[in-house]
Amino acid sequence: MTAGIGHPMETQGSGAPGAGGGAIGLDELDLSIVHALQIQPRAPWTLVGSVLEIDPVTAARRWARLRDVGAAWVDGYLSPAQEDMTWAQLEIAVNGARLMDVVRTLCDDAGVLSLKQTSGSRDLVALVQARDVDTLAEYVSERVCRVPGVQGARVHVITATPFEGSQWRLRSLDAGQRERLRQFDETRPAPGTPVTAEPLRPVERRIAVALGTDGRMPLAALAREVDASVATTRRALGRLLNSGRLALRCNLARPLTGWPVSAMYFASVPAEHLDATATALRTLPELRFCTMTAGPHNLFLDVWLRTLHDVHALEAHISRELGHLRLRVEERAVILRTFKHVGRVLDRHGHSVRSVPINTWK
């Protein structure tokens, strides 16, 4: 499949109001730092500075400026690509007069990863996590549907996640810089160390929750937070990262990326073509999140776009390129506002206001 209708970060500088109300502008260096942390979210500033050929103190100061106004942040969460948990997309119908009351309640809920207001036939779309299908059913009926103002919820159980946001990248670093960053691993296991799919241990659960607040939390501070030794914490973090169970993500407020419009496509494709379709969709620069679901639509696509017109232009591109796989985009919706994004409550400009760490065991 050819590239989509645009390439990320063609417009390198942009600005938007920060969490404190003032404007923040990004230059090439800011974007390079964010790109570096997308590749290695926990990279030390000495490495980032070396790769970017700047002083480590400068790199740290630049990052602190972005982080402090909520323009960029790093967090961790259990990856939806793993099978330890059950994930679902919820379409939530809400009494319009109670919308913001519902939003405030669900934003504070540790089981809601993301929450968006959309155009179209649903009011809110939420990404939620539960321990298993039974817990999911109870959570939706006894928690979500009992929130005052919620009129009902439709559940789409996620069966696979071909692409998620931690895999999305800016285009600020060259190939050599990207390779140098990939070589860093603070938890690299000894050669021959097996990666086992054993159940999550209590300390691993605590690490996942703690990194939801600050994905760059230093190892010593993380050890204190989870009440374990540094050595135990290092091993547990290594197990989580090397098994792919824990995803670390460096986020940049969407308006600052040059892709200010967000949309969702609800699509279907014959089951025998699902894998081939997912492989092709991964080449789309606009793609931020793709899930396979058990429901009336078996593909949910979350995309970032430059203009509202591109909602139809990208749909036409996808339909043209994947028509031979019988892909059908059956519905599309514009995201009117993202209230919560992977455990972060956002303001109207997409800046992080506070974190509500994802805690399925709470």
Side-chain angles (χ1 to χ4, degrees):
M1 185 173 178
T2 59
I5 60 176
H7 297 279
M9 301 317 304
E10 289 174 349
T11 303
Q12 292 294 305
S14 59
I24 180 170
L26 271 65
D27 60 18
E28 294 278 357
L29 181 54
D30 292 320
L31 295 168
S32 294
I33 291 170
V34 172
H35 190 180
L37 295 185
Q38 287 179 331
I39 296 170
Q40 286 291 358
R42 293 179 59 82
W45 294 121
T46 51
L47 174 60
V48 174
S50 174
V51 170
L52 301 183
E53 299 182 344
I54 60 174
D55 188 276
V57 175
T58 299
R61 185 178 67 248
R62 288 281 192 127
W63 171 254
R65 167 178 167 266
L66 297 176
R67 180 201 61 209
D68 291 348
V69 298
W73 60 93
V74 173
D75 48 28
Y77 53 96
L78 293 177
S79 172
Q82 303 303 305
E83 298 181 355
D84 296 289
M85 298 289 168
T86 297
W87 295 66
Q89 298 269 17
L90 303 186
E91 296 182 75
I92 304 173
V94 178
N95 178 336
R98 302 295 301 273
L99 178 67
M100 293 311 299
D101 293 333
V102 172
V103 165
R104 281 188 285 270
T105 299
L106 294 181
C107 279
D108 286 336
D109 195 300
V112 175
L113 285 78
S114 300
L115 184 66
K116 303 174 181 182
Q117 181 184 12
T118 75
S119 64
S121 59
R122 82 277 310 144
D123 299 305
L124 299 172
V125 173
L127 178 65
V128 301
Q129 181 190 82
R131 291 190 296 272
D132 49 41
V133 173
D134 287 342
T135 307
L136 173 65
E138 182 179 7
Y139 175 75
V140 174
S141 62
E142 298 300 320
R143 171 59 176 161
V144 176
C145 288
R146 289 182 179 272
V147 174
V150 170
Q151 297 175 328
R154 178 184 293 177
V155 183
H156 302 266
V157 176
I158 294 173
T159 58
T161 307
F163 189 91
E164 58 122 353
S166 64
Q167 300 166 267
W168 190 85
R169 299 286 184 265
L170 300 178
R171 302 292 190 270
S172 298
L173 304 182
D174 61 36
Q177 291 172 315
R178 297 195 298 269
E179 182 57 31
R180 288 179 63 188
L181 285 161
R182 291 191 188 101
Q183 293 173 2
F184 168 76
D185 187 351
E186 69 175 326
T187 62
R188 187 183 302 277
T193 300
V195 176
T196 59
E198 60 187 28
L200 284 173
R201 304 175 186 183
V203 68
E204 294 168 345
R205 296 178 180 179
R206 295 196 296 272
I207 287 173
V209 174
L211 292 181
T213 300
D214 178 10
R216 286 186 58 81
M217 188 181 297
L219 199 59
L222 180 60
R224 291 192 297 271
E225 182 71 20
V226 302
D227 193 24
S229 69
V230 171
T232 297
T233 303
R234 183 190 299 273
R235 287 193 299 270
L237 180 59
R239 286 193 300 269
L240 286 169
L241 293 175
N242 292 314
S243 66
R245 285 174 163 177
L246 182 71
L248 292 173
R249 180 192 299 201
C250 178
N251 284 295
L252 181 64
R254 179 161 43 82
L256 298 177
T257 67
W259 299 70
V261 177
S262 179
M264 292 186 71
Y265 297 124
F266 303 81
S268 292
V269 66
E272 63 268 26
H273 297 320
L274 266 174
D275 289 339
T277 301
T279 299
L281 287 170
R282 290 191 192 102
T283 67
L284 278 178
E286 296 86 357
L287 185 66
R288 283 286 299 184
F289 192 47
C290 174
T291 61
M292 297 180 187
T293 59
H297 317 288
N298 58 13
L299 278 176
F300 276 37
L301 309 180
D302 194 323
V303 299
W304 284 7
L305 305 165
R306 296 197 183 283
T307 69
L308 283 171
H309 171 76
D310 291 336
V311 173
H312 300 296
L314 181 60
E315 180 180 340
H317 173 79
I318 293 172
S319 299
R320 182 170 59 251
E321 293 291 330
L322 298 182
H324 65 289
L325 296 175
R326 293 158 57 193
L327 173 72
R328 301 187 317 278
V329 176
E330 296 170 327
E331 193 176 353
R332 74 285 310 146
V334 172
I335 306 304
L336 303 178
R337 183 169 170 189
T338 299
F339 296 104
K340 190 177 185 182
H341 181 64
V342 195
R344 291 275 174 162
V345 179
L346 308 181
D347 67 13
R348 65 179 62 250
H349 304 294
H351 287 61
S352 172
V353 175
R354 58 189 174 90
S355 66
V356 181
I358 303 159
N359 190 349
T360 308
W361 308 280
K362 187 175 181 180

